Amino acid sequence: MVAAKDYIVQLIIEKGLVSSDIVESVRKGLPEDGQGDLVEALTVTGNVERYRITEMLAEEFMMPVVDLEKVLIAPVALEVVSRELAARYNVFPVEIRENVLYVAISDPLDMDGVDSLSHVLKKTIEPMLASSDEIAHAIIRYYGTGEETVETVLHNFVPELVPEDQLVKNGPSASTDDERDDNSDAPIIRLVQIIINEAFKRRASDIHLEPLEKRFRVRYRIDGVLHEVENPPKRLQLAIISRIKIMSNMSIAEKRNPQDGRIQIGIGGKSIDLRVSSLPAAHGESIVMRILDKESLMLGLPELGFLNDDQETFERLITLPDGIILVTGPTGSGKTTTLYGCLNFINQPDRKIITVEDPVEYQLTGINQVPVRPDVGMTFSSALRAILRQAPNIIMIGEIRDKETAEIAIHASLTGHMVFSTLHTNDAPSAVTRLIDIGVKPFLVSTSLRAIMAQRLIRRNCVQCLEPYEVDHLALRALQVSEKNLENTTYMKGAGCAYCADTGYRGRVGIFEIFQINEEIQRMIYSGATAYQLRRKGRESGMRTMSEDGLRKALSGTTTVEEVLTSTVGDVD
């Protein structure tokens, strides 16, 4: 490295950027131990401007120059290269195309560092030149002054925290102002903030804080799977829970009954809402925070995971003038996201859309959203009666939970309104029998329903480390894939990389089955057909099951066969 620096100094002299006399004069002013950087000293003293050195090196080594102040940095590149790696190798990620990562470097002779980074990330590195100052400023601007995690915060702040007896006696500050620097409360405030920040950074949908007998567990749900992180000491349990309850406007005195609240917090220049739930448990209150990110919700129908034919079918159904369309699936299967995607698609100035939700999680532009408030008598059914007098064209009901709500929704559909809602059933045809079970007359169900769509969310393959793999034939047979179809088929899977945290998956995609109600199925509903009979008729009419839709996505490399099988284990006929 010393020889490399000497070579750059020689180039500076040869190109006429500075005289050899000035170089020798500056060299004499460096520390006697020889640890001073002569190139850096020449720029600091003003003898050579940094950008002139960068341009000279770019010309000499035939490398492109990048202006980190002006260039648009790709967020995906920042996720691939951590702050630790950027600082260690003195590089800054600019963009990524396929498997090529473009990074800014300041020393074109430091190819060992570039090779090491390429080995760590398992990517081809394409270097670009920028000054060391630009790289340092970019690291601070885009990564922050330090990449704190739950682990580092606990390591740095636990020694400062007040004793357990004081925590129990005093609790955290009653102020919601995070800038307060009270000696006893500041570490707890900081710790809670970092727990939330890190969850958002890791793309978590939920934060779970669970009091166990001898420890206080923190877990993030990422792409539907729970991942445990560093646990705070058990003695901080009460202070952390109290801090979260204060932030969400819950009562810290009430520990025997469940409570609900909301937190609005700024992270990375974005406003994020958290829906907070507390539940008394055997060893303290369990807290779950659902992260509500508006940007992640405003998806078009293609982003939800529809393949072209299903998307065309679904777009045709949701633009019908009247009737009911139900989206079914268990909790966490993306039903609300799908409904919002429908509303975004059909939201036009000539249509009045009203929603009834419990609670209103996201504010949608141009749509009237009504929150359910049972404590003041505003239930789903009472809200529905009131909004029908508002002459809407389209109504969205968060969930059909009882006979009264179902009947009002059906009558609304029969009087010229389009109604969207959700129901908790395992597949699409079962929604018909579910409505009849809660007391709705079969003839009302048959005349009002237009379609039912069941869905699940499965993990999407990481696009950065995708590679072919051998699928267990037993898994394929479980999905009823014939031996003939196994031949000449290549299945893909993520191998694991920094971009996907070595899981092989990043993000989730929906799998669907769309059960359309035609005249023959209407007659079957009216005559009391079972869910199994309706399912068979739907298959005969062209309905594709969730497992079949998932298998198509596995064949296209979007996901793996194992993911499909896990999510649709009871779906195969």
Side-chain angles (χ1 to χ4, degrees):
M1 184 58 69
V2 174
K5 293 293 185 183
D6 288 342
Y7 178 70
I8 293 175
V9 172
Q10 189 63 37
L11 280 177
I12 292 173
I13 296 172
E14 289 179 1
K15 297 294 183 181
L17 300 184
V18 69
S19 68
S20 57
D21 292 340
I22 292 177
V23 170
E24 287 305 315
S25 176
V26 172
R27 191 193 301 271
K28 290 177 181 178
L30 294 177
E32 294 181 0
D33 60 6
Q35 296 303 313
D37 186 339
L38 182 54
V39 177
E40 179 69 16
L42 286 169
T43 59
V44 170
T45 56
N47 291 287
V48 184
E49 294 177 313
R50 292 181 190 275
Y51 81 91
R52 300 275 311 270
I53 297 178
T54 302
E55 289 176 348
M56 178 204 70
L57 293 174
E59 181 181 350
E60 179 70 18
F61 293 95
M62 294 182 292
M63 294 174 61
V65 177
V66 59
D67 187 343
L68 296 178
E69 294 287 342
K70 297 179 180 178
V71 71
L72 183 64
I73 305 299
V76 65
L78 294 171
E79 293 176 348
V80 169
V81 181
S82 67
R83 186 188 195 283
E84 179 187 359
L85 288 176
R88 182 192 307 169
Y89 295 105
N90 192 30
V91 301
F92 188 79
V94 178
E95 65 175 326
I96 186 168
R97 300 176 196 162
E98 296 180 350
N99 202 46
V100 179
L101 177 65
Y102 293 79
V103 300
I105 66 173
S106 61
D107 185 355
L109 295 170
D110 184 19
M111 287 298 104
D112 287 341
V114 172
D115 291 341
S116 297
L117 184 63
S118 176
H119 178 73
V120 169
L121 297 178
K122 298 181 177 63
K123 293 189 181 301
T124 302
I125 303 295
E126 191 68 33
M128 310 165 80
L129 276 182
S131 71
S132 56
D133 269 6
E134 282 186 276
I135 292 175
H137 291 155
I139 289 175
I140 293 174
R141 185 164 68 252
Y142 286 93
Y143 289 107
T145 55
E147 190 169 296
E148 291 184 310
T149 63
V150 174
E151 290 87 344
T152 58
V153 170
L154 286 173
H155 176 75
N156 293 331
F157 286 102
V158 165
E160 303 176 16
L161 294 169
V162 293
E164 184 176 3
D165 56 348
Q166 292 184 29
L167 285 174
V168 173
K169 181 179 179 181
N170 299 327
S173 169
S175 169
T176 58
D177 181 5
D178 287 356
E179 300 299 322
R180 176 171 172 163
D181 194 26
D182 181 87
N183 287 336
S184 63
D185 296 339
I188 295 296
I189 292 172
R190 185 74 170 276
L191 179 56
V192 171
Q193 181 75 31
I194 294 298
I195 288 173
I196 297 172
N197 287 359
E198 191 172 349
F200 180 76
K201 179 182 175 182
R202 296 192 188 186
R203 302 176 299 104
S205 59
D206 305 283
I207 306 171
H208 295 253
L209 297 99
E210 303 160 315
L212 305 179
E213 182 179 3
K214 295 182 179 179
R215 62 192 181 106
F216 185 42
R217 184 167 64 181
V218 178
R219 296 193 287 177
Y220 298 152
R221 189 181 297 278
I222 304 171
D223 294 336
V225 179
L226 284 169
H227 299 268
E228 187 168 348
V229 298
E230 182 72 15
N231 296 328
K234 178 72 173 177
R235 67 188 182 88
L236 303 183
Q237 174 180 309
L238 178 59
I240 292 172
I241 290 175
S242 296
R243 172 62 187 164
I244 293 172
K245 290 173 74 173
I246 288 171
M247 293 173 69
S248 54
N249 291 319
M250 296 182 189
S251 170
I252 61 173
E254 178 57 73
K255 297 180 175 63
R256 296 172 297 177
N257 293 314
Q259 296 186 71
D260 294 307
R262 294 178 77 93
I263 298 173
Q264 189 172 63
I265 193 170
I267 301 176
K270 299 170 65 176
S271 178
I272 304 298
D273 288 338
L274 293 95
R275 191 178 70 194
V276 185
S277 170
S278 74
L279 179 69
H283 303 289
E285 290 178 277
S286 174
I287 299 285
V288 175
M289 293 183 277
R290 169 70 60 88
I291 299 175
L292 309 175
D293 180 12
K294 294 180 183 179
E295 290 187 12
S296 67
L297 188 83
M298 301 305 160
L299 302 175
L301 295 181
E303 288 77 21
L304 295 175
F306 287 105
L307 297 175
N308 289 336
D309 52 351
D310 281 344
Q311 183 175 335
E312 290 176 6
T313 299
F314 195 59
E315 286 179 357
R316 176 181 58 80
L317 290 169
I318 65 178
T319 52
L320 292 174
D322 56 33
I324 293 180
I325 292 181
L326 293 176
V327 180
T328 76
T331 301
S333 59
K335 300 187 296 297
T336 301
T337 302
T338 297
L339 286 181
Y340 279 128
C342 295
L343 297 183
N344 285 330
F345 181 80
I346 61 180
N347 186 14
Q348 301 293 332
D350 60 341
R351 295 172 178 166
K352 179 160 185 173
I353 303 175
I354 302 181
T355 72
V356 185
E357 305 172 60
D358 182 23
V360 174
E361 294 184 349
Y362 301 92
Q363 299 291 332
L364 300 179
T365 303
I367 294 176
N368 303 277
Q369 295 173 270
V370 179
V372 170
R373 294 187 58 190
D375 55 325
V376 295
M378 178 69 90
T379 60
F380 272 111
S381 55
S382 61
L384 270 173
R385 290 193 189 92
I387 66 175
L388 287 175
R389 295 192 288 272
Q390 297 280 313
N393 301 103
I394 299 160
I395 300 169
M396 192 270 274
I397 305 169
E399 181 185 350
I400 292 178
R401 299 177 178 175
D402 52 40
K403 176 184 177 181
E404 188 177 14
T405 302
E407 287 183 340
I408 296 172
I410 287 172
H411 286 303
S413 70
L414 296 175
T415 54
H417 303 85
M418 189 67 198
V419 179
F420 297 97
S421 190
T422 69
L423 206 61
H424 284 90
T425 61
N426 288 329
D427 62 2
S430 297
V432 173
T433 53
R434 170 64 179 154
L435 288 173
I436 295 172
D437 286 344
I438 64 176
V440 181
K441 298 288 193 297
F443 77 91
L444 290 175
V445 175
S446 65
T447 53
S448 61
L449 275 180
R450 296 291 177 267
I452 304 163
M453 185 175 76
Q455 68 176 65
R456 298 289 189 279
L457 290 178
I458 58 176
R459 290 185 292 176
R460 187 192 295 266
N461 280 332
C462 174
V463 297
Q464 302 295 335
C465 58
L466 205 58
E467 65 179 22
Y469 82 111
E470 288 291 329
V471 182
D472 184 354
H473 282 208
L474 292 177
L476 289 169
R477 291 193 186 97
L479 291 174
Q480 297 184 354
V481 179
S482 66
E483 292 290 341
K484 181 180 179 180
N485 292 333
L486 293 177
E487 300 175 1
N488 302 320
T489 301
T490 302
Y491 294 94
M492 307 296 288
K493 181 178 183 179
C497 63
Y499 183 55
C500 61
D502 292 320
T503 63
Y505 300 98
R506 183 177 172 92
R508 289 193 288 178
V509 64
I511 55 174
F512 311 94
E513 66 178 27
I514 302 175
F515 182 55
Q516 300 182 65
I517 310 299
N518 55 33
E519 290 185 6
E520 188 173 1
I521 291 176
Q522 281 183 330
R523 288 194 292 270
M524 291 179 66
I525 295 172
Y526 183 76
S527 61
T530 64
Y532 176 75
Q533 292 170 328
L534 292 172
R535 185 175 184 81
R536 291 196 61 178
K537 178 55 66 176
R539 294 293 304 278
E540 292 172 7
S541 303
M543 182 186 81
R544 186 182 298 110
T545 67
M546 283 182 286
S547 61
E548 291 170 338
D549 187 43
L551 187 58
R552 288 201 303 169
K553 291 182 170 75
L555 288 169
S556 68
T558 303
T559 187
T560 61
V561 171
E562 290 77 10
E563 272 294 296
V564 176
L565 186 61
T566 300
S567 300
T568 61
V569 64
D571 175 44
V572 182
D573 291 336

